[in-house]
Amino acid sequence: MAFWKPFDDAPVHLVDTSDGWRLKVREFPGPGGKGTIYLQHGLGASHRNFDLHPHGPSPARWLAQRGWRVFTGELRGRSGGGPAKSWNFSDYLLRDVPALCAFVRRRSGERIHFVGHSMGGFLGLAHAALDDGKALASVTTLGAALHYGLSPNAFSRLLPLRPLLERLPMMIPNVLGHRLLGALWALRLLPGWHYRRRNMTLRAVLAFHGHAAADITVAELLELATTFSGEGILCSELGRRLPELARRLPVPWLSVAGAYDLQCPPEAAAWTYERVSAPRKRWLLCPEYGHFDLACGMDAHRDVWPEVVRFLENC
């Protein structure tokens, strides 16, 4: 898979969290002038979810070329080191995202537009509510919801395996799994629940499975699985469920959903959209899209990202 490795030429900044982790933020150069966008990846993913260049689309570079100052951040466990061998969703929400956003806010000197894919999206919603709009100018979610227990999806089908999951070691080797099975996904021998295959080139599929994944801890999966035992994901450290935590946003919000999304079905995204209030919000259903291809589908630069830009320009 090394042949399909995307370029890693963006300048890297190091950001320290309050509990001793060192995270990476990449900055994509461009003419600037329109504002600052921060791109946040999701579960079991990395910054490459927004940058498969030259083997696939790069929303990060596409936005930077059009006058935005663009940053991508990585959550703990993806790069650098830290004091713990395991972590959970609460760590992402209460320590990683605040540190990453605070750095980008300081670096840019202006409030930032938070764009999150999948888990990155509901991290953005919850962070905006907790931050009370101090650092963020808007939130855009791609294939994200606050409650995944509403209808069958790729994750609900794994619930029977939960007793086995609780007995596993702390870390699930997601990277190894993607690299071993990537060729089978590329050849369409395995169901493509990560994306709608018709929207992905062969090179992008190989780059995605070979280099865009990250390992997952059992603790974060178990915390996220609370969405199936109540109305929405429970942030264990705060003792509050995300739909209640983020029910009132202080900033504008764009919710983008894919009609063929098997991880975050449009019904789940619509449920969240109906229950979260914002000064201004917009719903965008992409009829030909799945999950990851909302970010890096071969036509996303025509179908998805121009709509995101149009929304941000009016914030």
Side-chain angles (χ1 to χ4, degrees), residues 274-315:
E274 292 167 0
R275 282 159 180 77
V276 173
S277 65
R280 183 169 64 87
K281 64 180 184 177
R282 182 187 169 202
W283 167 260
L284 176 63
L285 178 65
C286 298
E288 301 298 330
Y289 281 78
H291 192 63
F292 172 73
D293 45 312
L294 285 171
C296 273
M298 60 185 178
D299 292 322
H301 68 286
R302 287 195 292 265
D303 300 331
V304 181
W305 290 100
E307 296 296 327
V308 173
V309 166
R310 190 171 295 114
F311 174 78
L312 298 184
E313 289 177 340
N314 291 317
C315 286

Side-chain angles (χ1 to χ4, degrees), residues 15-68:
V15 178
D16 293 325
T17 67
S18 60
D19 61 339
W21 279 84
R22 176 154 288 184
L23 312 177
K24 287 184 178 179
V25 174
R26 287 168 174 81
E27 183 174 357
F28 291 80
K34 287 190 174 180
T36 300
I37 295 175
Y38 172 73
L39 302 172
Q40 180 60 67
H41 66 74
L43 175 69
S46 72
H47 74 282
R48 296 191 190 280
N49 276 207
F50 295 103
D51 184 31
L52 294 180
H53 178 77
H55 304 298
S58 173
R61 295 169 194 261
W62 187 89
L63 291 165
Q65 290 166 1
R66 282 154 181 79
W68 297 90

Side-chain angles (χ1 to χ4, degrees), residues 15 31 67-68 86 88 101 128 131 134 138 147 150 161 180 210-211 219-220 229 253 270 291 304:
V15 178
W68 297 90
S86 184
N88 58 21
C101 287
D131 184 63
K134 295 184 182 69
S138 72
H147 184 12
L150 298 162
L161 301 177
L180 289 176
H211 302 284
E220 65 181 299
S229 58
W253 170 37
H291 192 63
V304 181

Side-chain angles (χ1 to χ4, degrees), residues 193-264:
W193 64 289
H194 301 94
Y195 40 73
R196 196 176 186 201
R197 183 63 177 83
R198 62 183 290 179
N199 293 331
M200 300 286 292
T201 66
L202 176 62
R203 292 176 65 189
V205 168
L206 291 172
F208 169 74
H209 289 294
H211 302 284
D215 289 337
I216 303 171
T217 70
V218 171
E220 65 181 299
L221 275 186
L222 292 177
E223 188 170 6
L224 294 173
T226 58
T227 193
F228 298 108
S229 58
E231 195 169 273
I233 298 162
L234 175 68
C235 175
S236 60
E237 193 165 331
L238 293 178
R240 299 172 67 185
R241 293 193 180 269
L242 297 193
E244 183 271 329
L245 176 66
R247 68 182 184 275
R248 292 187 180 88
L249 294 183
V251 296
W253 170 37
L254 170 63
S255 177
V256 182
Y260 289 88
D261 194 335
L262 300 180
Q263 294 191 34
C264 178

Side-chain angles (χ1 to χ4, degrees), residues 40-41 75 89 92-93 97 114 119-128:
Q40 180 60 67
H41 66 74
L75 303 172
F89 173 78
Y92 294 154
L93 176 60
V97 170
F114 188 109
M119 183 183 72
F122 57 79
L123 279 169
L125 293 176
H127 175 66

Side-chain angles (χ1 to χ4, degrees), residues 149-176:
L150 298 162
S151 59
N153 57 56
F155 298 111
S156 63
R157 298 186 186 103
L158 299 177
L159 283 178
L161 301 177
R162 180 166 180 167
L164 174 62
L165 177 67
E166 292 172 344
R167 295 185 177 91
L168 290 177
M170 291 183 292
M171 194 72 65
I172 298 173
N174 188 47
V175 172
L176 179 61

